[in-house]
Amino acid sequence: MVITRKVEFSASHVCRVPSWSDDQNRTTFGEASHPHGHGHNYAVEVSVEGAPDPITGMVIDLKDLKQILEEEIVAPMDHRFLNYEVKPFDTVVPTAENVAHEIWRRLDTRLQGGAARLHRVRLYETADLYVDVTEVGDAT
Ligand SMILES: [Zn+2]
């Protein structure tokens, strides 16, 4: 069984490779390469998979999941400039793909050893663009 919780955060980013020229960055990333950055209202759907506990009927304690999402996503990323304030985006281009992968990595680490495991991270960068990560290898 798969259960999904959604959280939202707002953050700024710049998509550019520091070692490239402005022209090369503009050709590759378009307006998203502008050095002053721009913001998104990100939404993340986190799906966790497991068998419901026979007594509680729960795949995972949703209070625990909410706390983990707060600590790993909202607290470190909300109202931040990802490139300058959130690792590893000082060295990794914070595309939707890479942000989704980083969220997967953080949550997968936190859920290790529990009864439920991470099934999917879906990151919406805009209403009409989202990225799914379903296993660690997806974005590496
Ligand atoms: Zn953007």
Side-chain angles (χ1 to χ4, degrees):
M1 200 173 287
V2 176
I3 189 163
T4 301
R5 185 179 270 285
K6 186 174 181 178
V7 291
E8 298 177 343
F9 65 98
S10 300
S12 298
H13 73 163
V14 178
C15 290
R16 59 187 289 121
V17 176
S19 61
W20 287 1
S21 69
D22 285 348
D23 278 351
Q24 195 172 2
N25 275 301
R26 203 175 304 116
T27 300
T28 303
F29 298 109
E31 289 299 313
S33 72
H34 193 282
H36 290 176
H38 60 276
H40 292 287
N41 295 316
Y42 291 94
V44 193
E45 294 173 4
V46 176
S47 299
V48 171
E49 181 177 19
D53 181 276
I55 297 171
T56 66
M58 297 192 294
V59 169
I60 187 171
D61 187 323
L62 292 175
K63 295 189 304 297
D64 293 346
L65 182 57
K66 186 177 182 181
Q67 181 71 24
I68 291 169
L69 300 186
E70 175 65 28
E71 291 173 9
E72 300 296 336
I73 301 173
V74 179
M77 298 186 188
D78 194 28
H79 296 110
R80 303 301 172 122
F81 200 134
L82 298 177
N83 304 66
Y84 303 119
E85 299 181 86
V86 182
K87 287 189 183 302
F89 304 117
D90 52 338
T91 57
V92 173
V93 182
T95 56
E97 296 92 319
N98 283 339
V99 174
H101 181 247
E102 173 61 15
I103 289 171
W104 171 282
R105 193 191 63 73
R106 291 176 181 219
L107 298 180
D108 190 44
T109 300
R110 288 293 300 271
L111 292 170
Q112 290 294 327
R117 67 181 189 84
L118 195 54
H119 174 73
R120 187 186 72 193
V121 168
R122 173 170 286 180
L123 174 75
Y124 285 84
E125 188 175 82
T126 64
D128 54 7
L129 176 75
Y130 65 82
V131 176
D132 283 339
V133 183
T134 53
E135 53 186 287
V136 179
D138 269 11
T140 56

